[in-house]
């Protein structure tokens, strides 16, 4: 499969273990062309590092620190990155650079990058994801950022494709969804397989318009993300 989109629930450590194991399995016989990560901005990469590069050297090349990476912890994703580097596989940042977010928010042409029903659904997810605390005027701009991120991830992954090999894209489940995410922005004819890792789901499948395969892992302790978000938004 030329492109494997591997979604995760960010707070489920089993999912990052699955990512590392996937990197190891695909790289063992030279099938892995690159690893594209949501956790890194487009332009950051390990392409010129040797397999023997240390964690310090890799983090420097990727400019990886908790602040620059929007809080993505190296302790969680470092093992995935190092598995790829140690196998001689480049790790590529796929996310929209922070410097481009303001422009994306104002770019109304991004509204046309999804079918109307999918755009409305994506906007609904933005509302719910922010606990219905965002002013309505911010919904469209925030949705455009999500679309721009998906387009960036898709572009980096497509550029990394190599004949006879697989590009692995690691991102949150919302980014890999077939009906709303990266697959919507792939050129026609690019073969891809969507895997969503779900913590605590009782189902071993997902609707065909979302994923091809679901990995089910043990449930996570309940977390009230909205309780954490309300003080940040002055609510």
């Amino acid at each position: 499969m030329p492109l494997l989109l591997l979604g995760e629930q960010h707070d489920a450590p089993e999912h990052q273990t699955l990512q590392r194991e996937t990197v190891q399995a695909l790289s063992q016989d030279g099938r892995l062309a690159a690893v594209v990560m949501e956790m890194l901005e487009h332009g950051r990469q390990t392409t010129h590092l040797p397999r023997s590069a240390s964690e310090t050297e890799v983090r420097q090349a990727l400019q990886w620190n908790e602040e620059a990476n929007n809080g993505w912890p190296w302790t969680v994703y470092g093992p995935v990155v190092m598995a790829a580097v140690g196998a001689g596989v480049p790790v590529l940042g796929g996310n929209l650079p922070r410097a481009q977010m303001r422009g994306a928010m104002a770019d109304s042409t991004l509204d046309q990058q999804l079918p109307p029903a999918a755009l409305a659904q994506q906007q609904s997810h933005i509302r719910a994801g922010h606990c219905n605390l965002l002013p309505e005027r911010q919904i469209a701009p925030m949705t455009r950022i999500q679309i721009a991120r998906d387009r960036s991830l898709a572009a980096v992954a497509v550029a990394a494709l190599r004949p006879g090999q697989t590009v692995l894209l690691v991102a949150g489940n919302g980014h890999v969804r077939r009906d709303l995410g990266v697959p919507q922005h792939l050129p026609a004819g690019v073969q891809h397989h969507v895997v969503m890792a779900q913590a605590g789901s009782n189902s071993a499948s997902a609707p065909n318009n979302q994923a091809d395969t679901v990995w089910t892992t043990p449930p996570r302790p309940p977390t009230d993300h909205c309780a954490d978000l309300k003080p940040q938004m002055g609510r």
Side-chain angles (χ1 to χ4, degrees), residues 65-142:
N65 59 68
E66 312 307 278
E67 181 179 354
N69 283 73
N70 291 319
W72 300 115
W74 176 258
T75 54
V76 173
Y77 296 98
V80 182
V81 173
M82 295 306 296
V85 172
V89 174
V91 176
L92 309 173
N95 210 341
L96 185 74
R98 193 179 292 184
Q100 297 180 22
M101 289 186 181
R102 185 176 297 274
M105 294 176 73
D107 185 0
S108 61
T109 65
L110 290 169
D111 299 341
Q112 282 76 56
Q113 300 303 316
L114 289 176
L119 177 65
Q121 189 175 3
Q122 190 69 279
Q123 290 173 340
S124 178
H125 284 303
I126 293 296
R127 287 189 190 91
H130 290 82
C131 307
N132 295 308
L133 296 174
L134 283 179
E136 188 61 24
R137 67 179 182 277
Q138 293 185 19
I139 298 301
M142 293 296 289

Side-chain angles (χ1 to χ4, degrees), residues 20-107:
R20 176 176 52 80
E21 291 174 349
T22 301
V23 168
Q24 292 170 335
L26 288 173
S27 62
Q28 280 180 354
D29 54 4
R31 287 183 292 152
L32 189 56
V35 177
V36 178
M37 300 187 73
E38 173 199 355
M39 299 79 195
L40 291 162
E41 290 186 0
H42 183 192
R44 299 182 186 179
Q45 56 188 344
T46 64
T47 307
H48 302 298
L49 291 178
R51 295 186 178 206
S52 59
S54 67
E55 287 197 21
T56 298
E57 292 169 326
V58 172
R59 292 188 66 169
Q60 288 176 344
L62 297 175
Q63 303 173 52
W64 191 303
N65 59 68
E66 312 307 278
E67 181 179 354
N69 283 73
N70 291 319
W72 300 115
W74 176 258
T75 54
V76 173
Y77 296 98
V80 182
V81 173
M82 295 306 296
V85 172
V89 174
V91 176
L92 309 173
N95 210 341
L96 185 74
R98 193 179 292 184
Q100 297 180 22
M101 289 186 181
R102 185 176 297 274
M105 294 176 73
D107 185 0

Side-chain angles (χ1 to χ4, degrees), residues 185-197:
H185 308 288
L186 295 173
V190 173
Q191 291 184 306
H192 56 283
H193 188 90
V194 176
V195 178
M196 293 173 65

